[in-house]
Amino acid sequence: MGYGAQGTASAENAVYYSVDWTRENISSLGPLGALYRVWGDGKQMVQGDIFDYFGLSGYTADQLKAKGYIVWTPPRPKGEFLGEGDTFTFLNLLDNGLLGYEEESSGGWAGRGLNSSTFQGAGQFGAINSYDDLLKLQGRAAAAGRPPLPDPNFTPAAQHDFTARLRWSVTPTYAGANHEPGVTIRGDSRISARAGETIRLQGVVSDPDENAVTVRWWQWTDVGTYPGRVTLTNPSALATSIRVPSDASAGQTIHLILEATDNGTPPLTRYQRVIISVTR
């Protein structure tokens, strides 16, 4: 969701940064939508800011440099979605049920935090020592082709949430807009269990607009410390169970997410997280 995100989005997610999607779901939705910055909108937050060339359109990076701008992210088509450096850090503060604000390593719509001592930085695309390096890095990343769909894929849910809030601002009645479903876990969401033990889980969902709600359970392997996969007996039902794998070691954790999405316009998603801590 940051600057230049559309250049390396998966093919499935690219639509959420497109000119058409941005116009329909952001820019056209009242005064707040019109206020949101997009590429080529003719605006500049501070006059003379040589880093803010987002309002211009039809220029190449070299042409922008010739006009005196510091070009650090590739220019995009007029009207396309414009992310920000703080967009993804803000997303984990939203109370969507993932609890990403409690601990950065647990993750949320913004992704998850990594220990700086193990983070490899730009990795295969090179180091960043200047704004030109940053521009070239993004160019190389985009040239590498669209990556596969991320797992988990939070882009649709986050963008649907954004446009829903803007739609609230132009909808005169509560009944005329869609609102997120409610989802809870019956019982404790922090569970201690031994290897080989079976755990039964029960979710509860509701919807303030009486929309239909679909659910699915999934394992967030990147944030749990147990390295393997677990099997959920019925991942598309509110009631399910898992057996803690026999090779799970004491101290390891398994993160399970109950995801609930309604069928309103736009569809809205909320979550609950269950953390299983393996004991001896």
Side-chain angles (χ1 to χ4, degrees), residues 179-264:
H179 307 85
E180 66 274 12
V183 54
T184 58
I185 299 295
R186 185 171 294 165
D188 198 350
S189 61
R190 301 294 186 269
I191 300 171
S192 297
R194 295 183 177 88
E197 188 175 343
T198 296
I199 299 171
R200 290 174 175 79
L201 302 169
Q202 177 70 57
V204 179
V205 299
S206 60
D207 189 88
D209 310 303
E210 298 185 354
N211 289 323
V213 179
T214 59
V215 300
R216 72 182 184 105
W217 292 88
W218 49 273
Q219 178 188 2
W220 198 344
T221 54
D222 284 345
V223 299
T225 56
Y226 172 69
R229 292 275 185 178
V230 300
T231 300
L232 291 150
T233 56
N234 197 346
S236 60
L238 285 169
T240 191
S241 65
I242 75 158
R243 184 176 181 273
V244 179
S246 59
D247 62 349
S249 301
Q252 291 180 332
T253 59
I254 299 168
H255 287 238
L256 301 175
I257 307 298
L258 174 57
E259 177 181 303
T261 303
D262 70 16
N263 67 343

Side-chain angles (χ1 to χ4, degrees), residues 64-81:
L64 290 169
K65 290 179 183 179
K67 294 174 73 67
Y69 289 99
I70 302 296
V71 182
W72 51 274
T73 191
R76 303 293 305 183
K78 183 176 181 178
E80 196 173 70
F81 181 83

Side-chain angles (χ1 to χ4, degrees), residues 30-64:
L32 290 178
L35 186 65
Y36 188 83
R37 295 293 307 274
V38 297
W39 280 97
D41 59 10
K43 302 174 184 178
Q44 192 174 47
M45 301 306 292
V46 178
Q47 187 174 3
D49 183 353
I50 60 174
F51 292 90
D52 183 0
Y53 48 89
F54 307 119
L56 301 176
S57 61
Y59 294 96
T60 66
D62 288 338
Q63 289 171 332
L64 290 169

Side-chain angles (χ1 to χ4, degrees), residues 89-102:
T89 55
F90 169 75
L91 286 177
N92 275 4
L93 300 179
L94 295 176
D95 188 15
N96 57 17
L98 289 172
L99 306 178
Y101 51 81
E102 289 189 349

